[in-house]
Amino acid sequence: MNLVITMIITKDLKGIVFNIFNYKENDLIVDVLSYQYGFMQLYVRGGQKTTSKSFFIFKIFNFITFDVSKLNLEELSIYKSGSVDRIFDYTCLNYEQMNLVMFMSELLIKIKHQKDINYKKYYEFLEEIIVDISKKKNSYFLTNYFIYNTLELIGCAPNLESCYNCAKTNNIVAFDLKNSGFICKECFDNNSKYLMDKDILNYLYKLSNGNEITNNKKSYDKYVFDLLTDLLYENAGVYLTSVKYIY
């Protein structure tokens, strides 16, 4: 289906900025996740100029309201005007939070061509994560929470309900990347990379239900992070260079 729409002005779009790069001498290309249309690329004339209002609007994870003079969901939409609804304050971030922002931005760039995402749900989820970063919640848990929900929304969520082979829900001992699911003791074949103990299982169950884990060990965060990033690669073909900065 061709999603190219052209009109004079499309007004009052809501968006979250997640990527910015310089184009030509003074212009910008900006990636946003919009509430109304999903992922969009904006062509911003003169956006590099410090005298331009656009220079202050387009910062990573700013929430913006904007108008476009040409709406093109397959290529570039032409930005006309806009304003910032909520500024993302980088000055309050620590090292781990900055790395999380970089990781999230890269992952959004890698999945922006996905077509079948519930964009409004994902927008609300991303808004939740950005607010939680500002509240200085556990960066490592937020990273895993972001990856898990992204996998779910692009249709690559792991099966955390039962053994992928026999559907039993008890005696879970490992997670199989190839089949993206748990393995029970009876089906276990010693080839699984990720073994499950009760603490890791509890972590995954809470993660899938959006319940923050406040007293977990950092080693658990890392173990689940490795599992989820491997799933991104195996199930969605997404490899992220920023993984090396998280731990």
Side-chain angles (χ1 to χ4, degrees), residues 18-19 60-61 100-109:
F18 66 88
N19 185 40
I60 299 296
F61 288 168
L100 170 55
V101 168
M102 179 173 61
F103 178 88
M104 289 173 60
S105 176
E106 186 184 7
L107 181 49
L108 287 164
I109 292 166

Side-chain angles (χ1 to χ4, degrees), residues 138 140-141 203 212-221:
N138 184 325
Y140 299 109
F141 174 78
Y203 188 114
E212 185 174 3
I213 305 156
T214 55
N215 297 318
N216 60 292
K217 296 178 181 178
K218 190 174 178 180
S219 59
Y220 296 164
D221 288 316

Side-chain angles (χ1 to χ4, degrees), residues 61 63 86-90 92-93 97 128-137 142:
F61 288 168
F63 289 78
R86 184 189 303 158
I87 295 173
F88 185 70
D89 184 8
Y90 281 87
C92 70
L93 303 185
Q97 291 165 331
E128 173 193 347
I129 290 284
I130 293 170
V131 170
D132 284 346
I133 294 171
S134 300
K135 290 180 179 178
K136 300 185 182 298
K137 291 194 176 182
L142 287 178

Side-chain angles (χ1 to χ4, degrees), residues 19-177:
N19 185 40
I20 306 157
F21 55 95
N22 295 338
Y23 183 70
K24 295 184 177 179
E25 187 174 347
N26 291 309
D27 302 337
L28 294 174
I29 305 294
V30 180
D31 285 310
V32 299
L33 174 63
S34 72
Y35 186 74
Q36 291 90 340
Y37 294 106
F39 292 112
M40 299 176 63
Q41 274 199 320
L42 305 180
Y43 176 55
V44 185
R45 292 189 178 93
Q48 293 183 49
K49 296 179 180 179
T50 56
T51 55
S52 169
K53 185 179 179 182
S54 303
F55 181 83
F56 301 97
I57 290 174
F58 293 108
K59 306 296 179 185
I60 299 296
F61 288 168
N62 274 359
F63 289 78
I64 63 174
T65 297
F66 62 100
D67 306 334
V68 295
S69 58
K70 179 181 179 182
L71 180 65
N72 187 333
L73 301 182
E74 292 293 336
E75 296 179 3
L76 288 174
S77 294
I78 308 302
Y79 171 80
K80 183 178 187 297
S81 61
S83 60
V84 180
D85 297 329
R86 184 189 303 158
I87 295 173
F88 185 70
D89 184 8
Y90 281 87
T91 63
C92 70
L93 303 185
N94 59 30
Y95 177 77
E96 288 82 10
Q97 291 165 331
M98 284 296 296
N99 289 338
L100 170 55
V101 168
M102 179 173 61
F103 178 88
M104 289 173 60
S105 176
E106 186 184 7
L107 181 49
L108 287 164
I109 292 166
K110 290 292 180 68
I111 68 163
K112 69 182 183 180
H113 300 296
Q114 296 280 341
K115 299 298 183 184
D116 297 323
I117 295 176
N118 183 333
Y119 294 116
K120 291 185 178 181
K121 181 178 179 180
Y122 199 57
Y123 183 99
E124 291 166 354
F125 162 69
L126 185 58
E127 181 177 22
E128 173 193 347
I129 290 284
I130 293 170
V131 170
D132 284 346
I133 294 171
S134 300
K135 290 180 179 178
K136 300 185 182 298
K137 291 194 176 182
N138 184 325
S139 299
Y140 299 109
F141 174 78
L142 287 178
T143 304
N144 289 338
Y145 186 51
F146 178 69
I147 302 169
Y148 178 84
N149 279 272
T150 299
L151 283 166
E152 187 172 56
L153 285 163
I154 64 177
C156 296
N159 172 21
L160 301 180
E161 300 297 325
S162 61
C163 174
Y164 79 86
N165 188 50
C166 69
K168 290 181 180 177
T169 57
N170 59 340
N171 293 323
I172 299 298
V173 295
F175 185 90
D176 184 85
L177 283 173

